[in-house]
Amino acid sequence: MRIVVIGGTGLIGSKVVRNLADHGHEAVAASPDSGVNTLTGEGLREVLEDADVVVDVSNSRAFDEKSATDFFTKATGNLLSYEKAAGVKHHVALSVVGTDRPNDIGYFHAKAAQEKLIRDSAMPYSIVHATQFFEFAKSIADSSTVGQEVHVPSALIQPMAADDVANAVARVAVGTPLNRILEIAGPEPFRFDEFVRMGLAAANDSRKVVADPQAPYFGALLSERALVPGDGASLGEVRFEDWLSQRALGATVTSGGRS
Ligand SMILES: NC(=O)c1ccc[n+]([C@@H]2O[C@H](COP(=O)([O-])OP(=O)(O)OC[C@H]3O[C@@H](n4cnc5c(N)ncnc54)[C@H](OP(=O)(O)O)[C@@H]3O)[C@@H](O)[C@H]2O)c1
């Protein structure tokens, strides 16, 4: 199959491209650097020629509601109309667990607008809702730091490895369109503070992590289960503790190699 991965140079996109190629598919990484820009339409006609499937794992550079909504609606609108003209048979998009529930998170509203465009198009589709990635424990801490303390919500979180996200997205891409949302999540839930504390400890970061029910996430207060999947979600294999140990091992090997 020829599968075009929009955002194929990003964290998830590069892993999806590798996974698909390893399984014998023609996987094409598309992004502004390779001359494909979903906001302007540049390069879309050419890259979608003979494509069977499009996987959209692109992301907005800014996460406020207006910027993200502008990005996802413009980019997805363009993409869907070029896909229709090219005869693409399956549109796969990656979104976030919780965007289809009542919430005050501006970025989630932007993703919901993207998903509505997909559902309302005539294109056969699959929407994968993933939980937060392990890779973002530190950036969550950085954006939640007040002085020397990290204030995070006291809600639950069920994060997952980017590798598990990419494997699930690639599996969906080569399957029959689901025409619905599939939820995927990590193997175990944590308290938000526990997740961030483990991530910082593994990086020898001494900041104190505090569970604070008033701490915002993407500018909004979270209810207890706002970020965790419902029953029937497909769970990833990689446990956070094992992922942290593997990363520590990788860091030791890398720094050992440099010295
Ligand atoms: N962060 C989370 O915890 C989480 C959880 C669930 C779902 N998600 C979703 O996962 C998706 C992928 O996230 P990620 O972290 O892998 O993103 P990322 O690493 O930031 O990669 C974004 C990709 O989009 C490309 N891109 C940006 N603007 C584009 C445009 N106008 N046309 C074509 N490509 C464009 C980028 O290309 P350049 O590098 O050339 O700019 C890059 O390849 C997002 O849609 C996000 O909503 C995230």
Side-chain angles (χ1 to χ4, degrees):
M1 271 197 252
R2 177 176 164 86
I3 304 173
V4 175
V5 181
I6 305 289
T9 54
L11 173 65
I12 301 299
S14 53
K15 293 173 186 289
V16 171
V17 168
R18 206 172 314 132
N19 180 307
L20 291 169
D22 286 349
H23 287 85
H25 297 285
E26 185 192 349
V28 182
S31 72
D33 276 351
S34 68
V36 180
N37 190 327
T38 48
L39 280 180
T40 61
E42 182 197 349
L44 277 178
R45 191 173 55 77
E46 294 82 354
V47 79
L48 295 183
E49 201 174 321
D50 297 329
D52 301 292
V53 179
V54 169
V55 175
D56 183 8
V57 284
S58 64
N59 208 354
S60 167
R61 294 208 171 109
F63 299 145
D64 65 281
E65 180 159 355
K66 181 171 182 332
S67 308
T69 303
D70 286 350
F71 175 84
F72 284 116
T73 53
K74 185 94 207 285
T76 302
N78 279 337
L79 200 46
L80 288 166
S81 49
Y82 278 94
E83 285 174 22
K84 192 172 168 215
V88 171
K89 298 179 217 51
H90 187 186
H91 178 97
V92 180
L94 180 59
S95 188
V96 193
V97 163
T99 58
D100 53 343
R101 307 174 198 151
N103 68 80
D104 296 323
I105 305 172
Y107 181 77
F108 280 22
H109 298 169
K111 295 296 288 185
Q114 174 190 19
E115 295 174 47
K116 182 171 182 337
L117 283 175
I118 297 167
R119 277 197 312 276
D120 290 350
S121 75
M123 181 66 62
Y125 72 90
S126 304
I127 295 173
V128 179
H129 274 190
T131 53
Q132 288 61 44
F133 311 154
F134 291 163
E135 281 76 359
F136 290 119
K138 183 174 180 303
S139 57
I140 291 174
D142 291 347
S143 62
S144 312
T145 297
V146 183
Q148 269 309 297
E149 289 189 344
V150 178
H151 285 236
V152 293
S154 52
L156 291 168
I157 188 168
Q158 196 164 332
M160 63 190 300
D163 278 335
D164 274 342
V165 178
N167 292 346
V169 169
R171 225 175 9 253
V172 167
V174 298
T176 310
L178 302 170
N179 294 313
R180 65 174 174 85
I181 292 166
L182 169 73
E183 285 192 331
I184 60 174
E188 53 196 346
F190 296 91
R191 286 278 153 198
F192 218 113
D193 56 306
E194 191 187 358
F195 167 59
V196 173
R197 195 173 296 118
M198 284 170 75
L200 291 187
N204 295 319
D205 187 321
S206 61
R207 278 176 287 175
K208 185 178 174 203
V209 182
V210 178
D212 175 355
Q214 295 309 311
Y217 177 72
F218 274 99
L221 295 184
L222 289 181
S223 60
E224 172 90 349
R225 303 191 63 83
L227 300 180
V228 293
D231 294 339
S234 173
L235 301 188
E237 290 174 4
V238 184
R239 294 177 62 244
F240 189 42
E241 217 173 336
D242 297 335
W243 183 87
L244 288 171
S245 312
Q246 284 298 324
R247 296 268 286 202
L249 210 57
T252 311
V253 171
T254 310
S255 61
R258 266 200 222 111
S259 59

